[in-house]
């Protein structure tokens, strides 16, 4: 049940890491379209650049070349402030290794993006509401009874669910999930998948999920594969000058 | 919002932060304690200095003084501006003398140079810084140089004894002469047997005859009576006020404590030898009686000064109507500089110099001030050390928190926001540290004497030896403004030193930070 208008588009993304004499061309002109409300899974070999692509899409990093559009607006070359705001409100990140802040309890971790959004003032004014919202979020992911626990007191699955709740607290438009089930056992993995699918179906959340697990791919709307720094089946995009010469 | 929360959480969970707080705290506490004690000392010393020195002093260029001091006072009083502002004036004659007295302990005569000040008791007391330091007469309305009658009687008794002895000797002599006279009259005054002179052995008998004749013809010596002693008249002993450390010697008892031991007591006689002015500079002396002792706490004065009546010193030194100083007490301290100026104009061309007490004690006061400033700089370096501690510990925390910083940035935290976390962390450490430091420093300062006693009890070694210094307690003075500055400085240092780690944290690349382990 996804629409046809592309929400997030990336064209000709290039990213090269240079370390000393080594050039690692990770992305070589990758194109990707994500439609509104789509649940897209991205697969590819280890080291093929899935995480790198996700970071680029989520403005955590900037591409060497190419551009990224969100609803037609170019976002990869925005000033740092605007990209910070995008990360805070438009994108939700779920990492493979949960990445919860150890100084905060579960509820505070979930509230972290909201805390970043709000100044001290508006935080105090909206505190009750936000806390309620976070508690609901945690309830939804099945952690309603562990609000005051520290991250280290949770299991891997529970931490990942807390991380999902955190990614959703600011009601993002796109959820970028980097192997959300990679570190979990089968049961936990299925639980998380169900959660994501429900979110996609009932809240019309656009999800881009990187995974290794081909079993999970069947539960998503569409699957793309990264090979050689490009999308599988993508036309070999050439630099414009070269194309003109041919 | 997250900044405050994280800041607070970092403070609560990092024990290393405690080290920062403690180092700031100790730095601030030391600064406050040392400053307060230095201020206390300097204030106390200033008070002491000021007390023994009048507000303004008019001094003669030469030790021979100036003529007609009372005319000068009259001149000042005639000036309405000065007259209005001056409370009291006193003429003094300052000179040097050798002191001799009989040491009570060793039974020997002590001879030493002293500073003799001729003063007029009433006016000197009015100028201040004198009367309340007198050991015996400080409570009296008007201290005097008058020797108490019992001491006078004692001296008179001794004098009488001497007089009687001389009288007796005189009478004995008169009697002996009278006896001789009578014998001669009777003719049984036997001439001494002719002495045979050695050289007579070799001379002729005629010559020998001549010599013996010569001897016989020689008339008897006249029996002149000695001069009669003057009729007895008890001396009027002159009172003197002796510096406490002139009359007392510091000695060490068996417990190694330094105590004052009296070498001279109330009522003991002293002799002052000085010289007359003029080209001949004849040594002159007179005897005095110690009737009181002067203890100001300024050893420079207590160990050197002897006060005697002005007229007595003038008489002794043949300095009639001369003085070396006029001490001036002002109604309002703060006008001292203007008054010095006015007096300088008044006495223009005369061999006099007018000074305020600060100018007189200038070098010492400045030395104390310089010492305090150097000490402050050194102590601030302690806080600087605390700053480097903060730098090191913060850098560690930033390294440790790299991944968390990556997470925060991934969640939308700005670089400035991340920087603020660490800056406010430094600010918080600085504030908490200097707050505790202030509490600690003020507490120590207020109880420094108790603490000193407790340490002395534990170690058996007094830190502050009351006998070395004149004050029995460590003087302190807390200056609120100075404490505020120290706190601001310490907080400032904490913030400045957290800038580098904070900047490093802010500049972290989110993706690299996330990959960091
Ligand atoms: N900072 C970096 N410097 C150098 N090379 C890097 C850097 N970051 C990533 N790479 C390289 O880029 C390539 C792609 O990394 P990326 O993390 O995107 O792979 P991935 O597809 O997510 O792999 P995995 O499935 O194992 O997570 C890897 O070969 C990696 O070594
Ligand atoms: Mg990856």
């Amino acid at each position: 049940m996804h629409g046809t208008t592309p929400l997030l588009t990336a064209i000709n993304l290039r990213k090269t890491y240079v370390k000393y004499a080594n050039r690692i061309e990770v992305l070589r002109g990758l194109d990707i379209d994500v439609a509104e409300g789509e649940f897209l899974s991205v697969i590819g070999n280890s080291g093929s650049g899935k995480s790198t692509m996700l970071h680029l899409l989520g403005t955590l990093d900037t591409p060497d070349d190419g551009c990224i559009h969100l609803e037609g607006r170019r976002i990869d070359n925005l000033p740092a402030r605007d990209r910070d705001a995008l990360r805070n409100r438009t994108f939700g990140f779920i990492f493979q290794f949960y990445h919860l802040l150890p100084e905060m309890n579960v509820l505070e971790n979930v509230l972290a993006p909201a805390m970043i959004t709000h100044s001290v003032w508006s935080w105090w004014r909206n505190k009750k509401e936000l806390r309620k919202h976070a508690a609901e979020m945690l309830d939804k992911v099945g952690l309603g009874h562990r609000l005051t626990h520290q991250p280290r007191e949770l299991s891997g699955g529970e931490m990942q669910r807390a991380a999902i709740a955190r990614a959703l607290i600011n009601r993002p438009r796109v959820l970028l999930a980097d192997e959300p089930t990679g570190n979990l056992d089968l049961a936990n993995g299925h639980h998380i998948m169900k959660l994501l699918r429900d979110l996609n179906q009932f809240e019309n959340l656009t999800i881009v999920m990187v995974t290794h697990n081909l079993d999970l791919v069947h539960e998503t709307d569409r699957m793309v594969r990264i090979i050689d720094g490009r999308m599988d089946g993508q036309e070999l995009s050439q630099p414009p000058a070269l194309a003109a010469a041919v | 919002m997250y900044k405050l929360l994280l800041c607070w959480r970092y403070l609560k969970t990092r024990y290393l932060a405690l080290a920062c707080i403690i180092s700031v705290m100790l730095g601030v506490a030391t600064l406050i304690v040392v400053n307060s004690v230095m201020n206390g000392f300097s204030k106390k010393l200033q008070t002491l200095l000021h007390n023994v020195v009048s507000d303004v002093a008019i001094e003669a260029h030469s030790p021979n003084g100036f003529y007609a001091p009372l005319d000068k006072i009259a001149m000042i009083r005639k000036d309405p501006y000065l007259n209005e502002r001056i409370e009291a004036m006193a003429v003094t004659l300052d000179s040097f003398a050798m002191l001799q007295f009989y040491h009570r302990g060793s039974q020997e005569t002590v001879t030493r140079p002293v500073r003799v000040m001729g003063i007029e008791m009433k006016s000197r007391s009015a100028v201040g810084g004198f009367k309340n330091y007198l050991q015996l007469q400080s409570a009296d309305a008007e201290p005097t140089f008058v020797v108490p009658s019992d001491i006078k009687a004692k001296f008179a008794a001794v004098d009488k004894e001497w007089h009687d002895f001389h009288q007796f000797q005189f009478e004995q002599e008169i009697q002996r002469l009278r006896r001789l006279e009578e014998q001669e009259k009777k003719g049984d005054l036997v001439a001494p047997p002719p002495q045979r002179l050695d050289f007579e052995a070799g001379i002729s008998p005629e010559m020998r005859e001549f010599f013996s004749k010569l001897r016989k013809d020689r008339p008897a010596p006249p029996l002149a009576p000695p001069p009669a002693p003057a009729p007895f008249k008890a001396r009027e002993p002159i009172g003197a006020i002796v510096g406490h450390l002139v009359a007392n010697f510091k000695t060490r008892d068996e417990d190694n404590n330094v105590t004052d031991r009296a070498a001279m007591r109330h009522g003991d006689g002293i002799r002052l030898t000085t010289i007359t002015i003029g080209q001949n500079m004849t040594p002159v002396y007179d005897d005095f009686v110690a009737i009181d002792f002067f203890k100001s706490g300024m050893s420079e004065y207590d160990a050197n000064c002897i006060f005697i009546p002005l007229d007595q010193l003038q008489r002794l030194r043949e300095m009639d109507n001369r003085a070396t100083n006029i001490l001036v007490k002002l109604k309002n301290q703060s006008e001292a500089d203007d008054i010095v100026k006015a007096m300088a104009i008044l006495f223009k061309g005369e061999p006099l110099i007018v000074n305020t007490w600060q100018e007189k004690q200038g070098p010492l006061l400045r030395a104390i001030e310089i010492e305090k400033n150097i000490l402050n700089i050194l102590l601030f370096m302690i806080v600087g050390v605390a700053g480097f501690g903060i730098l090191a510990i913060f850098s560690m925390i930033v390294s440790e928190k790299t991944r968390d910083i990556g997470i925060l940035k991934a969640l939308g935290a700005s670089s400035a926001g991340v920087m603020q976390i660490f800056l406010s962390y430094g600010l918080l450490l600085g504030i908490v540290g200097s707050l505790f430091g202030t509490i600690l420093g003020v507490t120590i300062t207020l109880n420094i004497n108790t603490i000193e006693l407790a340490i002395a009890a534990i170690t058996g070694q007094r830190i502050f030896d009351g006998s070395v210094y004149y004050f029995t307690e460590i003087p302190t003075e807390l200056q609120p403004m100075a404490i505020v500055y120290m706190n601001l400085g310490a907080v400032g240092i904490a913030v400045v030193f957290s800038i580098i780690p904070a900047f490093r944290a802010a500049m972290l690349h989110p993706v690299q930070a996330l990959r960091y382990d």
Side-chain angles (χ1 to χ4, degrees):
Chain A
M1 53 152 280
H2 55 87
T4 46
T5 43
L7 177 66
L8 192 61
T9 322
I11 301 161
N12 195 23
L13 284 186
R14 286 174 190 277
K15 187 77 184 172
T16 307
Y17 290 109
V18 182
K19 188 93 187 224
Y20 311 118
N22 289 354
R23 279 173 64 87
I24 306 166
E25 289 190 49
V26 183
L27 299 181
R28 314 174 187 197
L30 175 136
D31 297 339
I32 189 168
D33 280 320
V34 184
E36 174 115 47
E38 188 179 24
F39 192 164
L40 177 69
S41 57
V42 180
I43 58 168
N45 291 336
S46 187
S48 58
K50 306 183 294 293
S51 297
T52 305
M53 181 199 74
L54 220 54
H55 292 151
L56 290 180
L57 288 181
T59 68
L60 261 180
D61 211 346
T62 47
D64 296 338
D65 196 9
C67 50
I68 302 163
H69 291 270
L70 178 76
E71 291 188 303
R73 187 166 72 116
R74 187 161 176 192
I75 57 168
D76 59 289
N77 59 359
L78 287 175
R81 263 178 73 112
D82 299 337
R83 294 198 292 139
D84 290 338
L86 277 177
R87 285 203 296 274
N88 188 228
R89 264 157 276 173
T90 311
F91 294 110
F93 267 101
I94 304 174
F95 299 103
Q96 186 174 359
F97 299 100
Y98 335 125
H99 287 332
L100 297 176
L101 293 164
E103 265 80 23
M104 301 178 166
N105 65 29
V106 170
L107 185 68
E108 287 161 345
N109 258 293
V110 171
L111 279 169
M115 289 187 196
I116 290 170
T117 315
H118 291 270
S119 70
V120 179
W121 259 124
S122 66
W123 170 260
W124 278 106
R125 264 186 280 124
N126 302 318
K127 202 170 131 182
K128 262 212 178 111
E129 236 174 274
L130 288 162
R131 276 175 178 275
K132 215 177 112 216
H133 179 51
E136 278 169 18
M137 241 39 221
L138 278 165
D139 231 14
K140 208 183 269 179
V141 298
L143 280 177
H145 56 296
R146 317 282 308 255
L147 300 187
T148 54
H149 283 231
Q150 297 294 317
R152 61 174 175 279
E153 294 162 354
L154 301 182
S155 75
E158 285 163 342
M159 277 197 268
Q160 194 59 294
R161 279 183 272 159
I164 292 171
R166 180 179 68 184
L168 298 173
I169 186 78
N170 273 356
R171 300 191 175 87
R173 311 218 19 212
V174 185
L175 187 67
L176 302 170
D178 195 351
E179 299 184 44
T181 57
N183 271 310
L184 302 180
D185 61 26
L186 218 62
N188 262 315
H190 278 296
H191 191 111
I192 300 278
M193 269 315 288
K194 183 165 169 359
L195 205 72
L196 291 179
R197 236 184 22 242
D198 287 351
L199 283 167
N200 174 247
Q201 272 177 6
F202 301 120
E203 321 231 332
N204 198 27
L205 183 70
T206 310
I207 301 177
V208 180
M209 182 182 75
V210 166
T211 185
H212 268 128
N213 191 341
L214 288 172
D215 291 343
L216 299 179
V217 169
H218 302 302
E219 305 184 29
T220 63
D221 298 338
R222 182 161 75 95
M223 181 266 280
V224 291
R225 187 194 297 268
I226 298 182
I227 296 174
D228 260 353
R230 285 184 215 95
M231 282 303 171
D232 190 21
Q234 186 186 335
E235 290 283 305
L236 214 138
S237 77
Q238 306 243 328
L242 215 98
V246 175
Chain B
M1 174 60 214
Y2 66 103
K3 300 161 201 160
L4 292 183
L5 183 71
L6 274 179
C7 204
W8 180 241
R9 287 288 150 80
Y10 286 170
L11 190 69
K12 274 199 347 197
T13 55
R14 303 290 117 164
Y15 291 108
L16 278 178
L18 205 65
C20 292
I21 290 177
I22 288 174
S23 57
V24 172
M25 179 180 95
L26 288 179
V28 170
T30 323
L31 261 171
I32 289 176
V33 172
V34 172
N35 240 287
S36 304
V37 172
M38 282 296 286
N39 281 337
F41 264 107
S42 115
K43 189 83 173 263
K44 185 100 188 178
L45 201 62
Q46 284 207 15
T47 322
L48 284 175
L49 280 174
H50 188 184
N51 281 349
V52 286
V53 184
S54 59
D55 298 340
V56 171
I58 305 167
E59 288 170 78
H61 283 174
S62 129
N64 286 354
F66 51 85
Y67 187 68
L70 291 175
D71 292 357
K72 301 244 180 318
I73 286 186
M75 228 167 110
I76 294 169
R77 282 294 180 200
K78 237 183 262 161
D79 184 317
Y81 172 83
L82 291 173
N83 188 33
E84 212 171 85
R85 285 163 177 76
I86 289 172
E87 190 172 317
M89 282 183 278
V91 176
T92 70
L93 173 54
D94 212 348
S95 63
F96 284 90
M98 290 305 285
L99 163 75
Q100 279 178 300
F101 69 97
Y102 185 68
H103 188 300
R104 290 220 166 213
S106 67
Q107 319 227 320
E108 276 178 25
T109 301
V110 177
T111 305
R112 52 163 297 185
V114 286
R115 209 173 138 187
V116 181
M117 305 230 220
I119 58 169
E120 199 270 299
M121 189 60 94
K122 207 171 154 185
S123 60
R124 183 66 189 83
S125 301
V127 167
F130 178 75
K131 201 188 100 176
N132 36 338
Y133 297 136
L134 296 182
Q135 298 276 279
L136 303 173
Q137 301 184 75
S138 57
D140 298 4
E142 271 183 37
T144 60
F145 279 118
V146 172
V147 181
S149 52
D150 54 330
I151 294 169
K152 227 186 246 179
K154 214 170 69 192
F155 273 79
V158 173
D159 284 357
K160 183 85 175 71
E161 219 165 279
W162 275 106
H163 180 268
D164 289 353
F165 176 67
H166 288 305
Q167 188 70 37
F168 174 75
Q169 272 189 329
F170 171 72
E171 278 158 16
Q172 290 283 306
E173 183 65 9
I174 296 288
Q175 272 174 28
R176 195 179 65 87
L177 291 175
R178 210 159 286 145
R179 265 200 311 276
L180 278 175
E181 238 165 21
E182 271 163 29
Q183 278 172 353
E184 203 168 27
K185 252 182 238 155
K186 272 194 239 156
D188 49 70
L189 187 67
V190 189
Q195 279 173 338
R196 200 188 131 103
L197 297 170
D198 275 344
F199 66 87
E200 285 181 20
I203 57 173
S204 65
E206 293 83 29
M207 279 306 272
R208 215 177 296 157
E209 183 71 5
F210 172 74
F211 275 127
S212 68
K213 220 171 155 189
L214 206 65
R215 274 203 295 274
K216 250 182 215 149
D217 291 348
R218 199 177 58 183
L223 298 173
F232 174 71
K233 182 173 162 287
R235 257 186 317 161
E236 263 307 315
I238 310 161
I241 295 169
V242 182
H244 176 74
L245 285 181
V246 175
N248 292 271
F249 293 148
K250 285 200 178 295
T251 48
R252 234 167 238 290
D253 64 12
E254 54 273 17
D255 297 332
N256 208 26
N257 288 326
V258 176
T259 49
D260 294 343
R261 183 165 305 159
M264 189 198 294
R265 295 257 164 77
H266 175 246
D268 283 359
I270 58 175
R271 172 168 292 182
L272 291 171
T273 307
T274 177
I275 47 167
T276 60
I277 59 167
Q279 276 179 327
N280 291 339
M281 297 200 294
T282 324
V284 283
Y285 69 84
D286 208 343
D287 293 330
F288 296 84
V289 184
I291 52 135
D292 206 340
F293 300 98
F294 180 81
K295 186 175 181 183
S296 66
M298 282 298 299
S299 69
E300 195 195 329
Y301 285 78
D302 295 359
N304 287 309
C305 282
I306 292 184
F307 298 91
I308 62 172
L310 176 65
D311 50 351
Q312 294 293 345
L313 190 57
Q314 283 173 336
R315 172 188 57 81
L316 191 62
R317 294 200 63 201
E318 297 174 12
M319 287 176 75
D320 283 339
N321 204 7
R322 292 186 84 87
T324 52
N325 300 55
I326 295 174
L327 311 181
V328 181
K329 182 180 181 165
L330 304 180
K331 284 183 181 150
N332 184 353
Q333 286 280 328
S334 55
E335 295 173 330
D337 287 330
D338 295 334
I339 283 166
V340 164
K341 245 177 250 164
M343 283 189 179
I345 293 166
L346 194 65
F347 295 123
K348 203 169 157 198
E350 295 195 43
L352 297 172
I353 176 155
V354 187
N355 278 321
T356 63
W357 73 274
Q358 283 114 325
E359 285 166 340
K360 259 191 106 172
Q361 305 289 352
L364 183 57
L365 294 181
R366 259 199 305 283
I368 293 169
E369 195 60 31
I370 290 169
E371 197 178 339
K372 198 171 98 185
N373 289 343
I374 290 176
L375 213 58
N376 265 330
I377 292 169
L378 290 180
L379 288 173
F380 223 83
M381 283 183 184
I382 295 182
V383 183
V385 171
F388 279 102
I390 288 177
L391 180 71
I393 288 166
F394 270 38
S395 300
M396 277 177 64
I397 291 176
V398 169
S399 298
E400 195 186 330
K401 295 276 118 196
T402 298
R403 218 164 46 111
D404 294 11
I405 292 163
I407 296 169
L408 284 172
K409 286 192 158 181
L411 297 179
S414 63
S415 294
V418 171
M419 185 147 177
Q420 277 166 31
I421 294 177
F422 288 91
L423 283 187
S424 36
Y425 192 33
L427 186 72
L428 198 62
L429 290 188
I431 289 174
V432 173
S434 49
L435 194 75
F436 281 117
T438 305
I439 293 171
L440 183 69
V442 170
T443 314
I444 291 178
T445 306
L446 293 181
N447 299 302
I448 193 150
N449 287 298
T450 326
I451 293 169
E452 193 263 328
L453 283 179
I455 293 174
I458 294 165
T459 61
Q461 180 94 46
R462 291 290 307 258
I463 302 168
F464 184 87
D465 196 341
S467 59
V468 176
Y469 299 98
Y470 253 108
F471 347 119
T472 46
E473 293 207 314
I474 303 176
T476 56
E477 197 200 40
L478 286 167
Q479 291 182 334
M481 261 342 265
I483 292 175
V484 169
Y485 286 137
M486 287 172 212
N487 275 294
L488 288 181
V491 172
I493 281 184
V495 173
V496 164
F497 278 93
S498 51
I499 285 177
I500 296 171
F503 188 71
R504 206 164 64 97
M507 287 300 109
L508 282 175
H509 191 280
V511 175
Q512 316 290 28
L514 279 174
R515 286 180 193 272
Y516 182 90
D517 246 322

